[in-house]
Amino acid sequence: MVSITKHELPPLDVKAEFDVIEIEPHKFRGVKPLAKPSKLTRGAYGGNIVAQAILVAIRSSPASRSFVPNSIHSYFIKAVSDQTPMVWEVEEITTGRTFVHRYVRGLQDGSIVFTAMVSLTSNNSTKNNNGKDVSSLNFSIPATNTMQQDIKDLPVVYHIDPLFAFQKIYPFQNDPENVTFLIRWGITDDKQYNQPLINLSEEFKYVGFTSLTDWIAMELLLPHIDIDVRPRVEASIDHNIHYHDDDFQVDQWFVYVLNLKWVGHDRALIKGDIFTSEGKKHIATIVQERLFITSPKI
């Protein structure tokens, strides 16, 4: 019997890592710089940038009602340094009873490095919809319908300390067009890892989930669909999320299904869908265009 070493990681204080402070009306600053995935990476992890933009939008919405993310359409303008915190400027577009819209700009050293249009809603919960879960009526997880593997028995195969994300991969992929894997933020019930989350308020639940949406595992997707080309340069150009339901816990396993929609002209368009692990809730849809340069021109 092979023994498994359990890695006890320091708790993730989500407020200490991702919080923002309002330094003047409609202007915020992160409490600390956002982390890179590794020293070799040019800029901070895109998922953390989008996640902090969501937090800023929530903080700028009326405190009298509980507004949660409905969608975000964002653009990565320049690489974000991990040496200085982001500064955020917010423009109020509309504030209604059901929807709030904010235009958010992320800056470093006075230059715009990220922009986003964010829509928030007060109606994104199955619990507030008379108990009718419309998100599960017409959806199933394409690549896992016949998978019998218990996710608790699958090993964690990918973890990067600065990102607080954990990934498991199914040994068999039954759908020829999609690749499917498991991902979560924080972990407490696994044989290999333990990293609890602290200061996890409702708004930071969306910070963590949004961070996970940028986990676009191209290294799994491309070989699965018989594209054996490794790009010389790869980076996110934009990142768009539609949040379908808020009835989830961020420190649970999610099923992430990826599909390549188009590739050409040094770009690739990826669609992702995130479900709860049992497949009963479709939590979000993600569309991202990536710089995907395979030619030796640079």
Side-chain angles (χ1 to χ4, degrees):
M1 184 175 181
V2 178
S3 62
I4 299 175
T5 301
K6 186 152 185 173
H7 303 277
E8 293 287 343
L9 303 175
L12 167 57
D13 186 335
V14 296
K15 187 177 178 66
E17 292 290 333
F18 293 97
D19 202 12
V20 295
I21 299 170
E22 188 169 17
I23 54 179
E24 59 184 74
H26 306 298
K27 192 170 185 177
F28 298 81
R29 183 177 60 237
V31 295
K32 66 181 297 186
L34 298 174
K36 288 170 136 185
S38 71
K39 293 180 179 179
L40 299 177
T41 307
R42 185 181 174 199
Y45 171 55
N48 288 352
I49 302 168
V50 183
Q52 198 164 64
I54 285 291
L55 178 62
V56 167
I58 293 173
R59 289 280 176 87
S60 71
S61 65
S64 57
R65 291 180 66 89
S66 177
F67 284 96
V68 299
N70 172 60
S71 66
I72 182 169
H73 302 271
S74 65
Y75 293 89
F76 300 99
I77 309 301
K78 296 180 180 179
V80 171
S81 170
D82 65 340
Q83 299 301 306
T84 57
M86 294 275 285
V87 173
W88 298 93
E89 296 177 344
V90 182
E91 182 178 347
E92 181 178 339
I93 306 300
T94 63
T95 299
R97 294 180 60 187
T98 306
F99 289 97
V100 163
H101 297 92
R102 298 290 186 265
Y103 178 57
V104 178
R105 292 181 293 272
L107 299 94
Q108 282 188 328
D109 299 323
S111 296
I112 295 176
V113 295
F114 177 85
T115 66
M117 180 63 75
V118 183
S119 169
L120 306 173
T121 182
S122 60
N123 183 25
N124 218 36
S125 174
T126 302
K127 293 176 289 188
N128 297 333
N129 194 25
N130 298 321
K132 185 179 180 181
D133 181 10
V134 296
S135 69
S136 63
L137 293 182
N138 299 308
F139 297 96
S140 61
I141 302 175
T144 60
N145 288 338
T146 60
M147 288 182 177
Q148 302 299 318
Q149 177 79 54
D150 188 334
I151 63 175
K152 291 183 180 179
D153 295 332
L154 292 173
V156 173
V157 297
Y158 206 71
H159 168 61
I160 298 177
D161 287 333
L163 303 188
F164 319 111
F166 298 82
Q167 182 189 42
K168 293 186 176 188
I169 300 173
Y170 291 107
F172 304 104
Q173 297 287 335
N174 298 326
D175 192 308
E177 297 182 355
N178 302 300
V179 68
T180 301
F181 56 93
L182 293 151
I183 191 165
R184 70 186 289 171
W185 204 62
I187 192 166
T188 56
D189 55 359
D190 187 75
K191 298 175 182 178
Q192 293 173 270
Y193 289 93
N194 186 67
Q195 186 180 45
L197 306 174
I198 59 176
N199 284 326
L200 185 63
S201 63
E202 187 72 5
E203 61 186 5
F204 285 108
K205 159 182 160 177
Y206 293 101
V207 168
F209 181 79
T210 299
S211 178
L212 292 178
T213 65
D214 193 40
W215 200 277
I216 307 293
M218 294 286 281
E219 72 280 1
L220 295 179
L221 176 59
L222 294 181
H224 180 66
I225 58 177
D226 294 326
I227 296 180
D228 189 20
V229 177
R230 292 193 176 273
R232 296 172 64 89
V233 177
E234 185 183 1
S236 303
I237 298 174
D238 58 37
H239 192 71
N240 308 288
I241 312 167
H242 293 271
Y243 302 81
H244 305 312
D245 204 303
D246 65 5
D247 190 14
F248 65 87
Q249 300 297 319
V250 73
D251 56 348
Q252 68 179 69
W253 285 109
F254 295 97
V255 175
Y256 204 143
V257 182
L258 287 181
N259 179 268
L260 178 65
K261 305 304 294 184
W262 179 86
V263 62
H265 311 311
D266 296 329
R267 300 189 300 279
L269 189 68
I270 312 296
K271 176 179 177 287
D273 292 284
I274 296 182
F275 301 83
T276 53
S277 60
E278 73 282 1
K280 293 183 178 179
K281 288 187 183 296
H282 188 186
I283 302 298
T285 297
I286 301 98
V287 177
Q288 183 183 95
E289 187 174 46
R290 297 184 68 83
L291 195 64
F292 194 79
I293 298 177
T294 58
S295 63
K297 63 183 181 182
I298 60 171

